[in-house]
Amino acid sequence: MRTIKGPAIFLAQFAGDAAPFNSFDAICGWAANYGYKGVQIPTWVGSLIDLEKAATSKTYADELVGTAAKHGIAITELSTHLQGQLVAAHPVYDTMLDGFAPASVHGNPKARQEWAVQQLMWAAKASKNLGLTEHATFSGALAWPFLYPFPQRPAGLVEEAFDELARRWTPILNAMDENGVDLCYEIHPGEDLHDGVTYEMFLERVNNHPRANLLYDPSHFVLQQLDYLDYIDIYHERIKMFHVKDAEFNPTGRQGVYGGYQSWINRAGRFRSLGDGQVDFASVFSKMAQYDFAGWAVLEWECAIKHPEDGAREGAEFIAAHIIRVTEKAFDDFAAAGTDKAANRKMLGLS
């Protein structure tokens, strides 16, 4: 078994226009001050990384690594969540999703999708240049508007959506493979890959591609009432990344899983800062250690109540307290008799 690495922090919810959140150097210093040992970089934030340059210049990639290292920080992974969403986007979301891409492709879904694919291709090369072996993304969604089976879906609709999803992602998965990178899909509402069943549907269509792996985030499973501990038992061989995020689900006579179109603070299911929600992280970390998870425990802060800097400070302490330093020996080694094969056969009555 290996001890999980961490604590680390996903920078997406913290990057901004004001110091220390407006440059990679400054935000690494801020994270280190709270006790973080790693940062996960959102590649759509230009003040933190130039993705194309990281893909095409090993010198620039080395400079990023060096900038983090001077603060005692490692770059854990890159993220293309927003770009991944654009690899497969249903037209109903076109106007909303234009904001995820540069103005040059707004109003042009085909050009926007091509831009997104290029971003993923660069992410594969950038990850290699940075010495990274995992990458985080979303799958995007073609079938999501038809999630609930009423009005009744026409036969073959979902199957065609997943066939197309596999066609779009297979070249990207191959590029990740060429660069030695596991592509980790965050299983998430709003994506066609939103639970174990949909992941399996996709995995079958990409011929069990060895790079089609998972980012585990239990908070999304609390909100959809999926057993997040059993999920680890089922998919641990494919779980290559870990977002540590808390959530709570408090259904009432007025609302449940779907939330009644309410704001985050008024939903039955909502994300919380670490320790303020309902996720059993003691069991989560135990299972991750049991299955020899080799990656980082990365805070993703999303909370409608607590201030982000308080969430970040408390999150570092929370993760550090939950990381299990795995044992190098069995607890009952002291009682070992040191017997040999002959003695064992004698005990079994075989000699």
Side-chain angles (χ1 to χ4, degrees):
M1 295 187 295
R2 283 167 286 194
T3 298
I4 294 173
K5 294 178 284 189
I9 185 169
F10 186 30
L11 299 176
Q13 285 79 19
F14 298 94
D17 296 331
F21 308 110
N22 57 352
S23 76
F24 186 61
D25 185 19
I27 206 168
C28 283
W30 168 83
N33 185 58
Y34 280 144
Y36 288 102
K37 299 178 180 179
V39 292
Q40 186 177 100
I41 305 176
T43 60
W44 60 89
V45 182
S47 61
L48 301 185
I49 187 172
D50 181 327
L51 182 58
E52 180 181 4
K53 193 173 181 180
T56 56
S57 170
K58 184 66 166 63
T59 298
Y60 173 72
D62 289 344
E63 289 171 354
L64 285 176
V65 172
T67 296
K70 76 178 184 180
H71 298 286
I73 291 284
I75 299 172
T76 64
E77 303 96 3
L78 302 180
S79 154
T80 53
H81 281 84
L82 300 192
Q83 300 98 315
Q85 187 79 50
L86 301 180
V87 170
H90 190 280
V92 73
Y93 297 114
D94 275 344
T95 300
M96 296 167 63
L97 291 179
D98 267 350
F100 288 3
S104 60
V105 297
H106 288 184
N108 187 337
K110 183 177 184 294
R112 190 184 63 198
Q113 196 257 348
E114 292 171 349
W115 172 85
V117 170
Q118 179 63 74
Q119 290 278 298
L120 267 294
M121 296 299 191
W122 282 335
K125 293 180 180 179
S127 293
K128 181 179 180 180
N129 283 342
L130 291 164
L132 307 177
T133 54
E134 291 80 33
H135 180 76
T137 198
F138 280 149
S139 69
L142 299 172
W144 181 258
F146 309 101
L147 176 70
Y148 196 78
F150 184 84
Q152 185 176 0
R153 294 186 294 252
L157 179 72
V158 170
E159 289 75 13
E160 181 60 35
F162 274 78
D163 289 346
E164 179 62 25
L165 197 69
R167 282 192 289 268
R168 295 188 186 192
W169 279 104
T170 295
I172 299 170
L173 287 164
N174 290 339
M176 291 288 171
D177 191 40
E178 291 167 5
N179 288 279
V181 180
D182 285 320
L183 188 59
C184 301
Y185 294 100
E186 182 169 0
I187 303 303
H188 189 288
E191 313 304 316
D192 279 343
L193 306 192
H194 59 267
D195 59 12
V197 172
T198 52
Y199 171 65
E200 291 175 14
M201 291 167 62
F202 176 74
L203 196 60
E204 179 183 7
R205 286 166 169 80
V206 294
N207 298 313
N208 293 304
H209 201 294
R211 297 298 182 176
N213 291 298
L214 295 166
L215 186 164
Y216 175 72
D217 182 338
S219 67
H220 300 295
F221 302 150
V222 170
L223 268 55
Q224 62 178 299
Q225 294 294 279
L226 183 155
D227 188 330
Y228 56 84
L229 296 177
D230 190 44
Y231 181 97
I232 301 175
D233 290 330
I234 297 169
Y235 298 112
H236 60 88
E237 292 181 353
R238 289 280 185 169
I239 295 172
K240 306 294 185 180
M241 290 179 60
F242 178 19
H243 271 179
V244 189
K245 188 169 73 173
D246 213 342
E248 62 184 354
F249 181 64
N250 300 303
T252 69
R254 290 188 171 90
Q255 61 164 284
V257 170
Y258 298 111
Y261 297 117
Q262 297 303 294
S263 63
W264 275 113
I265 200 166
N266 292 320
R267 294 177 66 88
R270 59 189 184 181
F271 301 124
R272 297 299 307 275
S273 288
L274 289 185
D276 295 343
Q278 297 168 348
V279 175
D280 179 2
F281 280 109
S283 294
V284 168
F285 275 85
S286 291
K287 282 189 177 290
M288 297 296 267
Q290 171 189 342
Y291 289 119
D292 201 25
F293 175 69
W296 287 82
V298 181
L299 169 74
E300 182 180 22
W301 175 87
E302 291 181 349
C303 183
I305 297 175
K306 184 168 286 184
H307 191 281
E309 290 205 52
D310 292 337
R313 173 177 47 80
E314 295 172 5
E317 298 165 357
F318 186 94
I319 293 172
H322 279 79
I323 290 176
I324 298 169
R325 184 161 68 111
V326 299
T327 182
E328 297 175 354
K329 62 180 182 179
F331 66 87
D332 55 358
D333 280 352
F334 74 93
T339 54
D340 55 24
K341 182 175 181 179
N344 288 339
R345 291 184 62 81
K346 183 176 180 180
M347 289 180 67
L348 293 168
L350 300 175
S351 60

